[in-house]
Amino acid sequence: MTEEEKLKRFNALIEQDEKIEPKDWMPDAYRKTVLRQMTQHAHSEVIGMQPEGNWVLRAPTLRAKKILLAKIQDEGGHGLYLYSAAETLGMDRSEMIQQLHEGKAKYSQIFNYPTLNWADIGAIGWLVDGAAIVNQVSLQRTSYGPYSRAMVRICKEESFHQRQGYEIMATMMNGTEAQKEMAQDAMNRWWWPSLMMFGPSDKDSWHTQESMQWKIKRASNDDLRQKFIDKTVDQAYVIGLTVPDKDLKFNETSKHWEIGAINWDEFWNVVKGNGLCNHKRIAHHIKYHNEGQWVRQAVLAYSEKINAMQSATSL
Amino acid sequence: MTTKEALYNYVLRLADDNLILAQRLAEWCSCGPILEEDLAMTNISLDLLGQAEDFYEYASELNGEKNVDELAFLRSEREYFNHLLVEQPNGDFACSMVRQMLYATYAKHLYEALLKSRDEKLVALATKGLKEVKYHFRHSSEWVIRLGKGTAESNLRAQNAVNELWRYTDDLFEMNATDKVLITQSIGFSLKDIYPLWKAEILHVIDAADLAIPELGNVITGGINGMHTEYLGHILAEMQFL
């Protein structure tokens, strides 16, 4: 098949809403874009273990501790699954991790915000996972097969996390004045960054158009963000939380909640590395990755010894 | 001491071992040498938390006043009856794996012995726990062997871990008045019965890992009587933060 025919076949698959599988031919730019998105997603799951891990040792009840630990474990599992799925595009995990350490690969900016009180664990589950679900539900229909299947699997667990997060917020809003204050404080700090998780507005997003054409992305940043807002504002009211947006209003004609202006300067500032935890997150990952090197070497040396022994006995 | 009081103390001891080791393992969250092991350690931590919860529930039933969380969180250092081994710091990966292997082997034989207890609830909890600690034993002993036989560095680290932790193993087999009461009631059993089983299994792993048991003159005990190393207070300070 000529390059031209391959491209034609690829475009036809995309056109017919068929999945692109690892062995299919794909344009380099497609491979690069999917790989970038999948590794970024995997890194986000793994880096996201840190802000939640920050409260695992201090969780207030045995039940809360179990739920949080299980949730973090789910996130790590998602990371593992996504790394494997991304490897089908021809890069191995160690290289992905190296890129993360060198700042060449990104992770979600949301994890550069600190978890300062217990309500933050509720806010992360409810808002951050809630925003992630909206995005991931849409990605279940992404054109790259392994990514699409990963999203189907991951969405099931994320909706659990969101409910558990909301439960923490609801419990605190039913509690003492101090607990209510903590919950509102968490809401105030996580609301806007959660909205920023969907990425820049469509008019400013470089990647969107190409990704939409290839059906890597199935909905625009702004549409997904709106979906999240509509769903979440009502949930906030139900438990008595105030959405920290004085311009928030319901548009009776469009039936959508309209928000005030997002502070994109804050977003870009965090992207540039000036968030409270950017440095800590990567430094932590590098530290423990390096500290684990002797373990990885031991595993390798041990398996070489076992292989040598086995081939010696089979001679 | 009545039988009920003894049983309460004993169940609390089992619960505390599980809780404190679970807390230690949870410290590995996001700090593992590879993602798979990060998940394995938090998974074991979750198993132990589940066991702790079950034992605290039983203790709460026996006590009739305090609920599970009050028992788990609202006591002082001197009221925790966990063994010294489980409160020792994680150290490096070798240290945590050796600690896990020493404890899982102990828990395995302990639960097996408890299957013969006259107390039905203890039998049920031991049955459930046994399934999990068997897996923990397999996981940790395979790692000890892998590290022992891996590189010169991993062997040295594993040997250092054994040397460091061995001094806390006698403590696992200490008994007090609680045990005495329960043994006469056929609810508990003598830890002397399982010591040779434990020792033989440990020696087997240590040997397979090209490691050695250190010649130590000292014996440090106290956990079951509420005497602890200074580490426990810090674990509790963090755990009891809220």
Side-chain angles (χ1 to χ4, degrees):
Chain A
M1 233 193 287
T2 65
E3 290 292 299
E4 210 172 304
E5 284 164 339
K6 286 178 189 165
L7 183 62
K8 215 172 145 189
R9 184 178 172 272
F10 173 84
N11 283 333
L13 285 174
I14 296 282
E15 180 66 28
Q16 292 153 18
D17 260 339
E18 298 280 334
K19 299 292 178 221
I20 305 299
E21 294 301 334
K23 282 183 181 155
D24 290 334
W25 182 90
M26 60 191 90
D28 281 344
Y30 177 88
R31 182 185 299 275
K32 230 174 110 184
T33 304
V34 178
L35 184 61
R36 177 179 54 78
Q37 196 172 328
M38 289 180 81
T39 50
Q40 179 169 332
H41 197 157
H43 293 324
S44 298
E45 298 278 2
V46 172
I47 295 295
M49 295 166 77
Q50 290 182 38
E52 299 190 296
N54 185 37
W55 279 91
V56 129
L57 301 175
R58 296 180 289 174
T61 64
L62 279 181
R63 181 169 177 270
K65 198 189 279 288
K66 267 169 54 180
I67 289 175
L68 180 57
L69 201 54
K71 175 181 194 292
I72 298 170
Q73 212 194 7
D74 283 348
E75 313 291 8
H78 297 168
L80 203 55
Y81 194 74
L82 281 164
Y83 281 132
S84 305
E87 280 185 332
T88 61
L89 289 165
M91 184 187 280
D92 71 22
R93 203 204 306 179
S94 60
E95 195 178 341
M96 296 176 204
I97 290 174
Q98 198 185 333
Q99 287 191 346
L100 173 70
H101 292 175
E102 288 169 355
K104 288 179 192 158
K106 304 259 179 251
Y107 57 89
S108 177
Q109 293 309 316
I110 194 80
F111 300 121
N112 291 322
Y113 290 84
T115 49
L116 300 177
N117 72 45
W118 173 248
D120 287 22
I121 296 305
I124 287 187
W126 174 43
L127 298 174
V128 176
D129 287 39
I133 293 169
V134 171
N135 191 30
Q136 288 166 1
V137 163
S138 155
L139 285 172
Q140 288 179 349
R141 290 170 54 239
T142 190
S143 58
Y144 188 56
Y147 195 24
S148 158
R149 290 188 288 276
M151 287 304 104
V152 172
R153 205 171 125 163
I154 287 170
C155 278
K156 284 186 195 148
E157 292 181 347
E158 294 290 7
S159 59
F160 247 128
H161 300 164
Q162 203 217 356
R163 277 205 296 272
Q164 287 160 348
Y166 189 58
E167 187 194 300
I168 291 178
M169 296 305 266
T171 306
M172 291 186 82
M173 288 307 287
N174 257 324
T176 62
E177 278 311 307
Q179 285 174 321
K180 281 183 200 170
E181 260 174 49
M182 266 189 226
Q184 186 60 52
D185 176 49
M187 176 72 178
N188 295 348
R189 284 181 288 110
W190 291 94
W191 171 254
W192 290 105
S194 300
L195 299 187
M196 294 174 198
M197 279 174 72
F198 296 95
S201 180
D202 296 343
K203 58 184 192 325
D204 306 316
S205 178
W206 316 316
H207 300 302
T208 296
Q209 211 178 0
E210 192 183 53
S211 290
M212 293 282 270
Q213 221 166 17
W214 277 331
K215 297 183 181 170
I216 297 169
K217 217 170 149 62
R218 303 304 308 253
S220 79
N221 294 352
D222 286 334
D223 287 348
L224 292 169
R225 185 166 19 243
Q226 189 61 50
K227 215 173 209 172
F228 173 71
I229 292 165
D230 289 338
K231 185 175 81 158
T232 313
V233 167
D234 293 335
Q235 291 174 350
Y237 282 136
V238 168
I239 55 174
L241 277 169
T242 305
V243 177
D245 179 355
K246 59 179 175 25
D247 298 322
L248 183 76
K249 58 175 185 295
F250 191 71
N251 184 324
E252 289 292 347
T253 320
S254 69
K255 301 287 175 206
H256 288 302
W257 284 98
E258 287 173 358
I259 58 164
I262 292 177
N263 181 358
W264 289 111
D265 290 343
E266 176 187 324
F267 175 77
W268 291 115
N269 191 44
V270 177
V271 171
K272 278 182 202 134
N274 299 327
L276 280 158
C277 298
N278 297 57
H279 175 69
K280 186 183 178 211
R281 298 292 182 241
I282 288 298
H284 177 100
H285 200 278
I286 292 174
K287 174 178 158 47
Y288 288 103
H289 183 74
N290 290 346
E291 276 184 18
Q293 200 186 353
W294 69 270
V295 179
R296 297 190 294 276
Q297 283 167 346
V299 171
L300 214 62
Y302 178 72
S303 68
E304 277 165 12
K305 277 179 197 171
I306 294 293
N307 288 342
M309 251 163 53
Q310 276 167 350
S311 50
T313 47
S314 65
L315 283 178
Chain B
M1 195 188 306
T2 65
T3 307
K4 198 176 171 184
E5 283 164 352
L7 186 55
Y8 171 73
N9 289 340
Y10 190 71
V11 172
L12 220 44
R13 189 196 290 173
L14 294 168
D16 291 346
D17 268 346
N18 280 301
L19 177 64
I20 300 300
L21 188 53
Q23 183 80 359
R24 277 295 191 213
L25 285 169
E27 290 174 23
W28 273 105
C29 184
S30 85
C31 305
I34 36 172
L35 189 49
E36 285 84 345
E37 278 314 301
D38 208 301
L39 299 179
M41 281 188 283
T42 46
N43 201 20
I44 295 171
S45 175
L46 262 176
D47 284 348
L48 299 182
L49 271 180
Q51 290 184 34
E53 200 176 19
D54 290 343
F55 284 119
Y56 283 126
E57 260 165 32
Y58 189 25
S60 172
E61 268 172 47
L62 292 164
N63 168 286
E65 282 171 16
K66 291 181 173 175
N67 69 29
V68 171
D69 287 317
E70 284 165 342
L71 286 173
F73 292 94
L74 299 179
R75 286 176 291 145
S76 68
E77 282 97 320
R78 301 279 283 110
E79 296 165 315
Y80 279 80
F81 300 137
N82 62 278
H83 292 99
L84 304 177
L85 179 69
V86 298
E87 67 196 38
Q88 297 311 303
N90 283 346
D92 60 12
F93 184 71
C95 187
S96 286
M97 280 302 129
V98 168
R99 183 186 61 198
Q100 198 63 33
M101 193 268 293
L102 294 170
Y103 176 78
T105 313
Y106 166 79
K108 191 160 70 97
H109 291 293
L110 176 83
Y111 289 153
E112 254 161 20
L114 282 177
L115 297 180
K116 287 177 249 148
S117 169
R118 211 166 50 81
D119 187 273
E120 282 175 20
K121 184 87 195 213
L122 265 188
V123 175
L125 295 181
T127 308
K128 186 179 168 228
L130 185 57
K131 277 187 212 145
E132 292 173 348
V133 295
K134 273 184 179 168
Y135 162 73
H136 304 164
F137 167 75
R138 206 176 76 199
H139 176 256
S140 55
S141 59
E142 281 173 3
W143 265 108
V144 171
I145 293 170
R146 212 172 281 139
L147 297 178
K149 281 193 183 308
T151 60
E153 180 181 4
S154 67
N155 177 279
L156 180 66
R157 283 175 184 264
Q159 186 59 58
N160 285 343
V162 175
N163 295 350
E164 173 65 24
L165 294 173
W166 192 253
R167 72 193 81 242
Y168 301 107
T169 54
D170 285 301
D171 183 55
L172 294 171
F173 299 94
E174 277 291 294
M175 291 183 278
N176 59 16
T178 294
D179 299 81
K180 216 175 207 172
V181 173
L182 296 181
I183 290 168
T184 54
Q185 296 295 321
S186 305
I187 293 172
F189 64 96
S190 172
L191 288 164
K192 285 182 188 143
D193 298 345
I194 64 164
Y195 179 75
L197 303 172
W198 174 86
K199 186 80 180 282
E201 198 150 22
I202 295 292
L203 282 176
H204 185 76
V205 177
I206 293 286
D207 192 45
D210 296 343
L211 298 169
I213 301 293
E215 301 277 346
L216 291 174
N218 46 2
V219 172
I220 306 168
T221 60
I224 62 167
N225 295 314
M227 288 296 293
H228 293 278
T229 56
E230 290 172 347
Y231 297 116
L232 182 67
H234 293 272
I235 295 175
L236 297 182
E238 194 161 36
M239 199 171 75
Q240 297 174 338
F241 177 76
L242 290 173

